[in-house]
Structure formats: structure tokens, C-alpha cells
Amino acid sequence: MAIALGTVAHFSLAVTDPKASAEWWLSLFDLEEYRRSESRVVLGNDAIAISLIRGTPDPSALTHMAFRTRDMASLKGARDFLRDKGVALEDPGDEIGPVAEGSASLGIWFRDKDGYRWELYLASEDIA
């Protein structure tokens, strides 16, 4: 019998400076700081925890991770907020686009301080 996977509970990333990475995440997303040490900062909310661990970042190991948004207004609001905060979005001027060739789901993409690629997406069934 195959194992049924649930939602992602937490993940860890190697980052150059956990404190600086935590500040970046906290300035952009609805997260709180759970724990801090010299080598690690753990952030989270009711949906997920992110452990930022001092190490050598390797964005090639995680080509990207996507977080789902509720509706088009949320996706557009996130795009505008990220722009206002100076986050460089991919595809400047037309940032919201299909998540893959032929897909009806839409997303935006950007990178963090260590080069990891992130996506905010709206599933096709949520597009009004």
C-alpha cells in the first residue's frame, strides 16, 4: 500500500545568514519567529514552518517551491506587495502567467537572498 502524503509541515534550507534570511521572510510574509540560535532560525504560521540553517545555499537542489494563493485578488495583491518591497519578479511587466506550458493555473516567481526560486500560484479551479 502506498503512503498517503499530507500537506507540507516544514522544510529546511541552507542559507548564508539565517538572521538576514529570516528578516527577508518576515518582511514579506505572514510568518512569526518560533526559534533562533546562532546557526538556525525557524519561522512559521498555522500552515508551515521554515527552518533557515547556516550553510552553503544550493538553489539547484530545489528548482522552486510553490505556495498556493486563495484567489486572483490575493495573487495580484502579492505581486503588488512584492514589487513595492523591491523584490525582483520574473517576467517584469507581465509577472502573472501560466505555471507551465499549456497550464490554466497562474503564478508569479521570484528569488530570495540566497537564490532560491519561489512561486505564488493560483490553481486553475480557483480562477474566477
Side-chain angles (χ1 to χ4, degrees):
M1 178 166 88
I3 298 170
L5 294 177
T7 58
V8 174
H10 68 274
F11 63 93
S12 299
L13 287 176
V15 297
T16 304
D17 180 346
K19 181 181 174 188
S21 290
E23 289 171 8
W24 184 85
W25 281 93
L26 291 168
S27 73
L28 298 172
F29 302 100
D30 183 19
L31 299 167
E32 62 183 274
E33 185 174 311
Y34 291 158
R35 284 179 226 69
R36 179 183 291 244
S37 70
E38 286 300 312
S39 61
R40 180 175 77 142
V41 178
V42 180
L43 309 173
N45 61 27
D46 290 341
I48 196 160
I50 304 167
S51 182
L52 305 165
I53 300 171
R54 184 178 313 281
T56 303
D58 185 2
S60 68
L62 176 71
T63 60
H64 81 281
M65 181 175 281
F67 293 98
R68 191 171 183 166
T69 58
R70 288 184 299 258
D71 52 32
M72 184 58 81
S74 297
L75 185 60
K76 287 180 178 180
R79 176 203 56 203
D80 296 344
F81 182 79
L82 290 169
R83 275 187 194 152
D84 291 347
K85 290 289 192 173
V87 174
L89 300 175
E90 293 182 15
D91 305 318
D94 189 28
E95 292 92 354
I96 296 175
V99 297
E101 188 175 329
S103 176
S105 296
L106 300 172
I108 58 175
W109 298 265
F110 53 96
R111 293 187 184 269
D112 67 15
K113 297 171 140 314
D114 289 289
Y116 292 103
R117 188 173 186 239
W118 303 98
E119 175 185 343
L120 299 177
Y121 90 102
L122 180 61
S124 59
E125 62 267 20
D126 296 330
I127 298 172

